[in-house]
Amino acid sequence: MSGKTSVLRFPSLRAPIDILFLFCCIVLTADVLVPELWGSGKTKDYPLWFWAGQQVLQGKELYPSDPHAYFEFIYPPLPAVLLAIPSWFGKTALYVCLSLLNVAAWWITALTSNAMTGSGRTANPWLFAAPGFATITFVFDMFDLGQPNLVLLAMMMYGFWLLQHARPWMAGSMFALATAIKVFPIAVLPYLIWRRHWTAVASVVVFLGLFLFVVPAPVRGFQHNITELKTWYQGMVGTSSEKGFGQRDEQNWSWVNQSIIAVTHRLTRPVNYNQDDPTRPPRTMNVVDISFQAANWVVIGISVLIGLGYLAVMPPASRRTERSDAEELGILFCLMTVASPLARQYYFIWLFFPMTILFHRAAYDPRPRVRIGTWLTLAVMGILMFLSFPVFPRDLQAYGNNLAATAVVAAGLIWHILHPPKTDMAGPVPPAALKPVD
């Protein structure tokens, strides 16, 4: 890409921060490859991804015929088809490919996040790297576990960059691909509808259909793919009970899940938040005792209030600036993170962009007191996230320390969007960045 839509670049061997980034990537990749090449084999989710790729290569089933049975692979068929390509070359090739994807995603996320803050300033190297330092534990989880959340974040960030630069069809394809891999990014669709990005909405729908129904069909067979999609939907999306939802009941209500849904249920029902580990004594944290159905209504009520609050703080078209657009999107990323039914520790890598915005406000806002207040907000967020380290009791995660940190970040962005500086330091804003370009 060229001109004003060019945001990507390769790391420079002349920039110390870029060299530090490459060094970190080498260390993180070694965490994946060393156990596989010279140890007993890489564990976590990596063997599962190889298994899924091999199932596709050998024409075997991805899911059991009974949607209520245990699923080894809990993603839609498309990711398995994509995993089959490097899996054909063996485990090591697959693990190298996944590691390189995480490297590229980390770099793309950093570039697009710093380019989309609306501060009108180019971050100095240390400010550029600050969000990476703040989220390094989440990035480590992405490499160590083999989870795709960082790759999905890069897709979403690049999609919004494309959307702001009048390329809605390509933007929609990014959103659709992320959704076809792990579903929860579909939460972007209501936002696109509200902001009347109709071409991007159409693109999401069209490409989602292509990714779910057309792309896997030549490999799996059209009817076979439809059957697998139906089984996956029934097993993952169409099930919900007091025991849990989807395929991992022992995780859904336990301390590992810090979504709005999970924390609300733990606070309103006597749910054992140690149920993921049978060796630990049962523990509950509820402040009231209501039924499962009533707790669901509480979740719905909270979600509606949050949604209405978000709409209330979004400025009308006449008052939108690059700065407010960035804060608006930052809040959206906060909401997408905690609105997912399952929000494990590593999901909060999605706070990378909201954090980047606040780092820019703390450094470049023209009001000294606002800069101090923003740094304090970031400090509170950091303290809350620090409580996830193993030296602290799991109870703090059961109560939602990362959920609280997300709320603090969102509150900071809300304050900024409601109290812009009198002189917008971002300067004049290109029309394509402010209005639907469809």
Side-chain angles (χ1 to χ4, degrees), residues 304-379:
V304 169
L305 288 175
I306 292 175
L308 292 176
Y310 181 43
L311 296 180
V313 301
M314 291 168 66
S318 60
R319 292 196 294 109
R320 288 175 68 184
T321 64
E322 283 189 347
R323 184 186 181 97
S324 70
D325 273 7
E327 292 151 359
E328 181 180 298
L329 289 180
I331 299 170
L332 177 65
F333 275 74
C334 290
L335 296 181
M336 286 194 291
T337 302
V338 298
S340 171
L342 181 62
R344 295 176 63 100
Q345 171 82 359
Y346 54 79
Y347 273 60
F348 292 88
I349 185 65
W350 276 48
L351 296 185
F352 192 109
F353 177 48
M355 284 185 196
T356 304
I357 298 169
L358 289 181
F359 275 115
H360 275 248
R361 299 295 177 269
Y364 299 131
D365 193 285
R367 299 160 292 183
R369 294 177 66 180
V370 172
R371 292 199 299 271
I372 294 173
T374 306
W375 282 120
L376 291 174
T377 299
L378 287 165

Coordinates of all heavy atoms in Angstrom, one line a residue, residues 304-379:
V304 N -27.2 -3.9 28.4 CA -28.0 -2.9 27.8 C -27.6 -1.5 28.3 O -27.4 -0.5 27.6 CB -29.5 -3.1 28.1 CG1 -30.3 -1.9 27.7 CG2 -30.0 -4.3 27.3
L305 N -27.4 -1.4 29.6 CA -27.0 -0.1 30.2 C -25.6 0.3 29.7 O -25.4 1.5 29.4 CB -26.9 -0.2 31.8 CG -28.3 -0.3 32.5 CD1 -28.0 -0.5 34.0 CD2 -29.1 0.9 32.2
I306 N -24.7 -0.7 29.6 CA -23.3 -0.3 29.0 C -23.5 0.1 27.6 O -22.8 1.1 27.1 CB -22.4 -1.6 29.1 CG1 -22.1 -1.8 30.6 CG2 -21.1 -1.3 28.3 CD1 -21.3 -3.1 30.8
G307 N -24.3 -0.6 26.8 CA -24.5 -0.2 25.4 C -25.1 1.1 25.2 O -24.6 1.9 24.4
L308 N -26.1 1.4 26.0 CA -26.7 2.8 26.0 C -25.8 3.9 26.4 O -25.7 4.9 25.8 CB -28.0 2.8 26.8 CG -29.2 1.9 26.3 CD1 -30.3 2.0 27.3 CD2 -29.6 2.4 25.0
G309 N -25.0 3.5 27.4 CA -24.0 4.5 27.9 C -22.9 4.8 26.8 O -22.5 5.9 26.6
Y310 N -22.5 3.7 26.1 CA -21.6 3.9 25.0 C -22.1 4.8 23.9 O -21.5 5.7 23.4 CB -21.2 2.5 24.4 CG -20.2 2.6 23.3 CD1 -19.0 3.4 23.4 CD2 -20.3 1.8 22.2 CE1 -18.1 3.4 22.4 CE2 -19.4 1.8 21.2 CZ -18.3 2.6 21.3 OH -17.4 2.6 20.3
L311 N -23.4 4.6 23.5 CA -24.0 5.4 22.5 C -24.1 6.8 23.0 O -24.0 7.8 22.2 CB -25.4 4.8 22.2 CG -25.5 3.4 21.6 CD1 -26.9 3.0 21.3 CD2 -24.7 3.4 20.3
A312 N -24.4 7.0 24.3 CA -24.5 8.4 24.8 C -23.2 9.2 24.7 O -23.3 10.4 24.6 CB -25.0 8.3 26.3
V313 N -22.1 8.5 24.9 CA -20.8 9.3 24.9 C -20.3 9.4 23.5 O -19.3 10.3 23.3 CB -19.8 8.6 25.8 CG1 -20.3 8.6 27.3 CG2 -19.3 7.3 25.3
M314 N -20.8 8.7 22.5 CA -20.2 8.8 21.2 C -20.7 10.1 20.6 O -21.9 10.4 20.6 CB -20.8 7.7 20.3 CG -20.2 6.3 20.7 SD -21.1 4.9 19.9 CE -20.7 5.3 18.1
P315 N -19.7 11.0 20.2 CA -20.1 12.3 19.7 C -20.9 12.2 18.3 O -20.6 11.3 17.5 CB -18.8 13.0 19.5 CG -17.8 11.9 19.3 CD -18.3 10.7 20.1
P316 N -21.8 13.2 18.1 CA -22.4 13.2 16.8 C -21.4 13.6 15.7 O -20.3 14.0 16.0 CB -23.5 14.3 16.9 CG -22.9 15.2 18.0 CD -22.2 14.3 19.0
A317 N -21.8 13.3 14.4 CA -20.9 13.5 13.3 C -20.3 15.0 13.3 O -19.2 15.1 12.9 CB -21.7 13.3 12.0
S318 N -21.1 15.9 13.7 CA -20.6 17.3 13.7 C -19.5 17.6 14.6 O -18.8 18.6 14.5 CB -21.8 18.3 14.0 OG -22.3 18.0 15.3
R319 N -19.3 16.8 15.7 CA -18.3 17.0 16.7 C -17.2 15.9 16.7 O -16.4 15.9 17.5 CB -18.9 17.1 18.1 CG -19.8 18.3 18.3 CD -20.1 18.5 19.7 NE -20.9 17.5 20.3 CZ -20.5 16.6 21.2 NH1 -19.2 16.6 21.6 NH2 -21.3 15.7 21.7
R320 N -17.2 15.1 15.6 CA -16.2 14.0 15.6 C -14.8 14.6 15.1 O -14.8 15.4 14.2 CB -16.6 12.9 14.7 CG -17.7 12.0 15.2 CD -18.2 11.0 14.2 NE -17.2 10.0 14.0 CZ -17.4 9.0 13.1 NH1 -18.5 9.0 12.3 NH2 -16.4 8.1 12.9
T321 N -13.8 14.1 15.7 CA -12.4 14.5 15.3 C -11.6 13.2 15.3 O -12.1 12.1 15.7 CB -11.8 15.4 16.3 OG1 -11.6 14.7 17.6 CG2 -12.6 16.7 16.5
E322 N -10.4 13.2 14.8 CA -9.5 12.1 14.8 C -9.3 11.6 16.3 O -9.2 10.4 16.6 CB -8.2 12.4 14.2 CG -8.2 12.4 12.7 CD -6.8 12.5 12.1 OE1 -5.9 12.9 12.9 OE2 -6.6 12.3 10.9
R323 N -9.2 12.6 17.2 CA -9.0 12.3 18.6 C -10.2 11.5 19.2 O -10.1 10.5 19.8 CB -8.8 13.6 19.3 CG -8.4 13.4 20.8 CD -8.4 14.8 21.4 NE -8.0 14.7 22.9 CZ -6.8 14.9 23.3 NH1 -5.8 15.2 22.5 NH2 -6.6 14.8 24.7
S324 N -11.4 12.0 18.9 CA -12.6 11.4 19.5 C -12.9 10.0 18.8 O -13.3 9.1 19.5 CB -13.8 12.3 19.3 OG -14.2 12.4 18.0
D325 N -12.5 9.9 17.5 CA -12.7 8.6 16.9 C -11.8 7.6 17.5 O -12.2 6.4 17.7 CB -12.3 8.8 15.4 CG -13.5 9.2 14.5 OD1 -14.6 9.5 15.1 OD2 -13.4 9.2 13.3
A326 N -10.6 8.0 17.9 CA -9.7 7.0 18.5 C -10.2 6.6 19.9 O -10.2 5.4 20.2 CB -8.3 7.6 18.7
E327 N -10.7 7.5 20.6 CA -11.2 7.2 22.0 C -12.5 6.3 21.8 O -12.7 5.4 22.6 CB -11.5 8.5 22.7 CG -10.2 9.2 23.1 CD -10.3 10.7 23.2 OE1 -11.5 11.3 22.9 OE2 -9.3 11.4 23.5
E328 N -13.3 6.6 20.9 CA -14.5 5.8 20.6 C -14.1 4.4 20.3 O -14.8 3.5 20.8 CB -15.3 6.5 19.5 CG -16.5 5.9 19.0 CD -17.2 6.6 17.9 OE1 -17.5 7.8 18.1 OE2 -17.3 6.0 16.8
L329 N -13.2 4.2 19.4 CA -12.7 2.9 19.1 C -12.0 2.2 20.2 O -12.2 1.0 20.4 CB -11.8 2.9 17.9 CG -12.4 3.2 16.5 CD1 -11.3 3.2 15.4 CD2 -13.5 2.2 16.2
G330 N -11.3 2.9 21.0 CA -10.7 2.3 22.2 C -11.7 1.8 23.2 O -11.5 0.7 23.7
I331 N -12.8 2.5 23.4 CA -13.9 2.0 24.2 C -14.5 0.8 23.6 O -14.8 -0.2 24.3 CB -14.9 3.1 24.5 CG1 -14.3 4.3 25.2 CG2 -16.1 2.5 25.3 CD1 -15.3 5.5 25.2
L332 N -14.7 0.8 22.3 CA -15.2 -0.4 21.6 C -14.3 -1.6 21.9 O -14.9 -2.7 22.1 CB -15.3 -0.1 20.1 CG -15.8 -1.3 19.3 CD1 -17.3 -1.7 19.6 CD2 -15.7 -1.0 17.8
F333 N -13.0 -1.5 21.8 CA -12.1 -2.6 22.0 C -12.2 -3.1 23.5 O -12.2 -4.3 23.7 CB -10.7 -2.3 21.7 CG -10.4 -2.4 20.2 CD1 -10.9 -1.6 19.3 CD2 -9.6 -3.5 19.8 CE1 -10.6 -1.7 17.9 CE2 -9.3 -3.7 18.4 CZ -9.8 -2.8 17.5
C334 N -12.4 -2.2 24.4 CA -12.6 -2.6 25.8 C -13.9 -3.5 25.9 O -13.9 -4.5 26.6 CB -12.8 -1.4 26.7 SG -11.2 -0.5 27.0
L335 N -15.0 -3.0 25.3 CA -16.3 -3.7 25.4 C -16.2 -5.0 24.7 O -16.8 -6.0 25.2 CB -17.4 -2.8 24.7 CG -17.6 -1.5 25.4 CD1 -18.8 -0.8 24.8 CD2 -18.0 -1.7 26.9
M336 N -15.5 -5.1 23.5 CA -15.5 -6.4 22.8 C -14.7 -7.4 23.6 O -15.0 -8.6 23.6 CB -14.8 -6.2 21.4 CG -15.7 -5.6 20.4 SD -15.1 -5.7 18.7 CE -13.6 -4.7 18.8
T337 N -13.7 -6.9 24.4 CA -12.9 -7.8 25.2 C -13.7 -8.5 26.3 O -13.7 -9.7 26.5 CB -11.7 -7.1 25.9 OG1 -10.9 -6.5 24.8 CG2 -10.9 -8.0 26.7
V338 N -14.5 -7.7 27.1 CA -15.2 -8.2 28.2 C -16.6 -8.7 27.9 O -17.2 -9.4 28.7 CB -15.3 -7.2 29.4 CG1 -13.9 -6.8 29.8 CG2 -16.1 -5.9 28.9
A339 N -17.1 -8.4 26.7 CA -18.4 -8.9 26.3 C -18.4 -10.3 25.7 O -19.4 -11.0 25.6 CB -19.0 -8.0 25.2
S340 N -17.2 -10.8 25.4 CA -17.0 -12.2 25.0 C -17.4 -13.1 26.1 O -17.1 -12.8 27.3 CB -15.6 -12.5 24.6 OG -15.4 -13.8 24.4
P341 N -18.2 -14.2 25.9 CA -18.6 -15.0 27.0 C -17.5 -15.6 27.8 O -17.6 -15.8 29.0 CB -19.4 -16.2 26.2 CG -19.9 -15.5 25.0 CD -18.8 -14.5 24.6
L342 N -16.3 -15.9 27.1 CA -15.2 -16.4 27.7 C -14.0 -15.4 27.6 O -13.6 -15.1 26.4 CB -14.8 -17.8 27.2 CG -13.5 -18.4 27.8 CD1 -13.8 -18.7 29.3 CD2 -13.2 -19.7 27.1
A343 N -13.6 -14.8 28.7 CA -12.5 -13.8 28.6 C -11.4 -14.3 29.6 O -11.3 -13.8 30.8 CB -13.0 -12.4 29.0
R344 N -10.5 -15.2 29.1 CA -9.4 -15.6 29.9 C -8.3 -14.5 30.0 O -8.5 -13.5 29.3 CB -8.8 -16.9 29.4 CG -9.7 -18.1 29.4 CD -9.1 -19.3 28.7 NE -7.9 -19.7 29.4 CZ -7.9 -20.7 30.3 NH1 -8.9 -21.4 30.5 NH2 -6.7 -21.0 30.9
Q345 N -7.3 -14.7 30.8 CA -6.3 -13.8 31.0 C -5.7 -13.2 29.7 O -5.6 -12.0 29.6 CB -5.1 -14.4 31.8 CG -3.9 -13.6 32.0 CD -4.0 -12.6 33.1 OE1 -5.0 -12.5 33.8 NE2 -2.9 -11.9 33.3
Y346 N -5.4 -14.0 28.8 CA -4.8 -13.6 27.5 C -5.7 -12.7 26.6 O -5.2 -12.1 25.7 CB -4.2 -14.7 26.8 CG -5.1 -15.8 26.5 CD1 -6.0 -15.8 25.4 CD2 -5.1 -17.0 27.2 CE1 -6.9 -16.8 25.1 CE2 -6.0 -18.1 26.9 CZ -6.9 -18.0 25.9 OH -7.7 -19.0 25.6
Y347 N -7.0 -12.8 26.9 CA -7.9 -12.0 26.1 C -7.7 -10.5 26.2 O -8.0 -9.7 25.3 CB -9.4 -12.3 26.4 CG -10.0 -13.4 25.7 CD1 -9.5 -14.7 25.8 CD2 -11.2 -13.3 25.0 CE1 -10.1 -15.8 25.2 CE2 -11.8 -14.4 24.3 CZ -11.2 -15.6 24.5 OH -11.8 -16.7 23.8
F348 N -7.1 -10.1 27.3 CA -6.9 -8.7 27.7 C -5.8 -8.1 26.9 O -5.4 -6.9 27.1 CB -6.8 -8.5 29.2 CG -8.1 -8.8 29.9 CD1 -8.4 -10.1 30.3 CD2 -9.1 -7.8 30.0 CE1 -9.6 -10.4 30.9 CE2 -10.3 -8.1 30.6 CZ -10.6 -9.4 31.1
I349 N -5.1 -8.9 26.0 CA -4.2 -8.3 25.0 C -4.9 -7.3 24.2 O -4.3 -6.3 23.6 CB -3.6 -9.4 24.2 CG1 -2.5 -8.8 23.2 CG2 -4.6 -10.1 23.3 CD1 -1.3 -8.2 23.9
W350 N -6.3 -7.4 24.1 CA -7.0 -6.4 23.3 C -7.1 -5.0 23.9 O -7.6 -4.1 23.3 CB -8.5 -7.0 23.1 CG -8.5 -8.0 21.9 CD1 -7.7 -9.0 21.7 CD2 -9.4 -7.9 20.8 NE1 -8.0 -9.7 20.5 CE2 -9.1 -9.0 20.0 CE3 -10.5 -7.1 20.5 CZ2 -9.8 -9.3 18.8 CZ3 -11.2 -7.4 19.4 CH2 -10.9 -8.5 18.5
L351 N -6.6 -4.9 25.1 CA -6.5 -3.5 25.7 C -5.2 -2.8 25.1 O -5.0 -1.7 25.5 CB -6.4 -3.6 27.2 CG -7.6 -4.2 27.9 CD1 -7.4 -4.1 29.4 CD2 -8.9 -3.5 27.5
F352 N -4.5 -3.4 24.3 CA -3.3 -2.8 23.7 C -3.6 -1.4 23.1 O -2.9 -0.4 23.4 CB -2.7 -3.7 22.7 CG -1.3 -3.3 22.2 CD1 -0.2 -4.1 22.6 CD2 -1.0 -2.2 21.4 CE1 1.1 -3.8 22.2 CE2 0.2 -1.9 21.0 CZ 1.3 -2.7 21.4
F353 N -4.6 -1.4 22.2 CA -5.0 -0.1 21.6 C -5.5 0.9 22.6 O -5.1 2.1 22.6 CB -5.9 -0.4 20.4 CG -6.4 0.8 19.7 CD1 -5.5 1.8 19.3 CD2 -7.8 1.0 19.5 CE1 -6.0 3.0 18.6 CE2 -8.2 2.2 18.8 CZ -7.3 3.1 18.4
P354 N -6.5 0.6 23.4 CA -6.9 1.5 24.4 C -5.8 2.1 25.3 O -5.8 3.3 25.6 CB -8.0 0.8 25.2 CG -8.5 -0.3 24.3 CD -7.3 -0.7 23.5
M355 N -4.9 1.2 25.7 CA -3.7 1.7 26.5 C -2.9 2.7 25.7 O -2.4 3.7 26.2 CB -2.8 0.5 26.8 CG -3.3 -0.4 27.9 SD -2.0 -1.6 28.3 CE -3.0 -2.8 29.2
T356 N -2.7 2.3 24.4 CA -1.9 3.2 23.6 C -2.4 4.6 23.5 O -1.7 5.6 23.6 CB -1.7 2.6 22.1 OG1 -1.2 1.3 22.2 CG2 -0.8 3.5 21.3
I357 N -3.8 4.7 23.4 CA -4.4 6.0 23.3 C -4.1 6.8 24.6 O -3.8 8.0 24.6 CB -5.9 5.8 23.1 CG1 -6.2 5.1 21.8 CG2 -6.6 7.2 23.2 CD1 -7.7 4.7 21.7
L358 N -4.3 6.1 25.8 CA -4.1 6.8 27.0 C -2.6 7.2 27.2 O -2.3 8.2 27.8 CB -4.5 5.9 28.2 CG -6.1 5.7 28.3 CD1 -6.4 4.8 29.5 CD2 -6.8 7.0 28.5
F359 N -1.7 6.4 26.7 CA -0.3 6.7 26.8 C 0.0 8.0 26.0 O 0.7 8.9 26.4 CB 0.6 5.6 26.3 CG 1.0 4.6 27.3 CD1 0.5 3.3 27.2 CD2 1.8 4.9 28.4 CE1 0.9 2.3 28.2 CE2 2.1 4.0 29.4 CZ 1.6 2.7 29.3
H360 N -0.7 8.1 24.8 CA -0.5 9.3 24.0 C -1.1 10.5 24.7 O -0.6 11.6 24.7 CB -1.1 9.1 22.6 CG -0.2 8.5 21.7 ND1 0.3 9.1 20.6 CD2 0.3 7.2 21.6 CE1 1.1 8.3 19.9 NE2 1.1 7.1 20.5
R361 N -2.3 10.3 25.3 CA -3.0 11.4 26.0 C -2.1 11.9 27.2 O -1.9 13.1 27.5 CB -4.3 11.0 26.5 CG -5.3 10.6 25.5 CD -5.7 11.8 24.5 NE -6.6 11.3 23.5 CZ -6.1 10.9 22.3 NH1 -4.8 10.8 22.0 NH2 -7.0 10.5 21.4
A362 N -1.5 10.9 27.9 CA -0.7 11.2 29.1 C 0.6 12.0 28.7 O 1.1 12.8 29.5 CB -0.3 10.0 29.8
A363 N 1.1 11.7 27.5 CA 2.3 12.4 27.0 C 2.0 13.7 26.3 O 2.8 14.6 26.4 CB 3.1 11.4 26.1
Y364 N 0.9 13.8 25.6 CA 0.8 14.9 24.6 C -0.4 15.8 24.8 O -0.6 16.8 24.1 CB 0.7 14.3 23.2 CG 1.9 13.6 22.8 CD1 1.8 12.3 22.2 CD2 3.2 14.1 22.9 CE1 2.9 11.6 21.8 CE2 4.3 13.4 22.5 CZ 4.2 12.2 22.0 OH 5.3 11.5 21.6
D365 N -1.3 15.5 25.8 CA -2.4 16.4 26.0 C -1.9 17.7 26.4 O -1.0 17.8 27.3 CB -3.4 15.8 27.1 CG -4.7 16.5 27.2 OD1 -4.7 17.7 27.7 OD2 -5.7 15.9 26.7
P366 N -2.5 18.8 25.9 CA -1.9 20.2 26.2 C -2.2 20.6 27.6 O -1.6 21.6 28.1 CB -2.7 21.1 25.2 CG -3.9 20.3 24.8 CD -3.6 18.9 24.9
R367 N -3.0 19.9 28.4 CA -3.4 20.3 29.7 C -2.6 19.5 30.8 O -2.7 18.3 30.9 CB -4.9 20.1 30.0 CG -5.8 20.9 29.0 CD -7.2 20.3 28.9 NE -7.2 19.0 28.3 CZ -8.3 18.3 28.0 NH1 -9.5 18.8 28.4 NH2 -8.3 17.2 27.4
P368 N -1.7 20.2 31.5 CA -0.8 19.5 32.5 C -1.6 18.6 33.5 O -1.2 17.5 33.8 CB -0.1 20.6 33.2 CG -0.1 21.8 32.2 CD -1.4 21.7 31.5
R369 N -2.7 19.1 34.0 CA -3.4 18.4 35.0 C -4.0 17.1 34.4 O -4.1 16.1 35.1 CB -4.5 19.2 35.7 CG -3.9 20.4 36.5 CD -4.9 21.3 37.1 NE -5.7 20.6 38.1 CZ -6.7 21.1 38.8 NH1 -7.0 22.4 38.5 NH2 -7.4 20.5 39.6
V370 N -4.4 17.2 33.2 CA -5.0 16.1 32.5 C -4.0 15.0 32.2 O -4.2 13.8 32.4 CB -5.7 16.5 31.2 CG1 -6.1 15.3 30.3 CG2 -6.9 17.4 31.5
R371 N -2.8 15.5 31.9 CA -1.7 14.5 31.7 C -1.4 13.7 33.0 O -1.2 12.5 32.9 CB -0.4 15.2 31.2 CG -0.5 15.8 29.8 CD 0.9 16.1 29.2 NE 1.6 17.1 30.0 CZ 1.6 18.4 29.8 NH1 0.8 18.9 28.9 NH2 2.3 19.2 30.6
I372 N -1.3 14.5 34.1 CA -1.1 13.8 35.4 C -2.2 12.8 35.7 O -2.0 11.7 36.1 CB -1.0 14.8 36.5 CG1 0.3 15.7 36.3 CG2 -0.9 14.1 37.9 CD1 0.4 16.9 37.3
G373 N -3.5 13.2 35.5 CA -4.6 12.4 35.7 C -4.6 11.1 34.9 O -5.0 10.0 35.3
T374 N -4.1 11.3 33.6 CA -4.1 10.1 32.7 C -3.0 9.1 33.2 O -3.2 7.9 33.1 CB -3.9 10.6 31.3 OG1 -4.9 11.6 30.9 CG2 -4.0 9.4 30.3
W375 N -1.9 9.7 33.6 CA -0.8 8.8 34.1 C -1.3 8.0 35.3 O -1.0 6.8 35.5 CB 0.4 9.6 34.5 CG 1.3 10.0 33.3 CD1 1.6 11.2 32.9 CD2 1.9 9.1 32.3 NE1 2.4 11.2 31.8 CE2 2.6 9.9 31.4 CE3 2.0 7.7 32.2 CZ2 3.4 9.4 30.4 CZ3 2.7 7.2 31.1 CH2 3.4 8.0 30.3
L376 N -2.1 8.7 36.2 CA -2.6 8.0 37.4 C -3.6 6.9 37.0 O -3.7 5.9 37.6 CB -3.3 9.1 38.3 CG -2.3 10.0 39.0 CD1 -3.1 11.1 39.8 CD2 -1.4 9.3 40.0
T377 N -4.4 7.2 35.9 CA -5.3 6.2 35.4 C -4.6 5.0 35.0 O -5.0 3.8 35.3 CB -6.2 6.8 34.3 OG1 -6.9 7.9 34.8 CG2 -7.1 5.7 33.7
L378 N -3.5 5.2 34.2 CA -2.7 4.1 33.7 C -2.0 3.3 34.9 O -1.9 2.1 34.9 CB -1.6 4.6 32.8 CG -2.1 5.0 31.4 CD1 -1.1 5.8 30.7 CD2 -2.5 3.8 30.6
A379 N -1.7 4.1 35.9 CA -1.1 3.4 37.1 C -2.1 2.5 37.8 O -1.7 1.4 38.2 CB -0.5 4.5 38.1

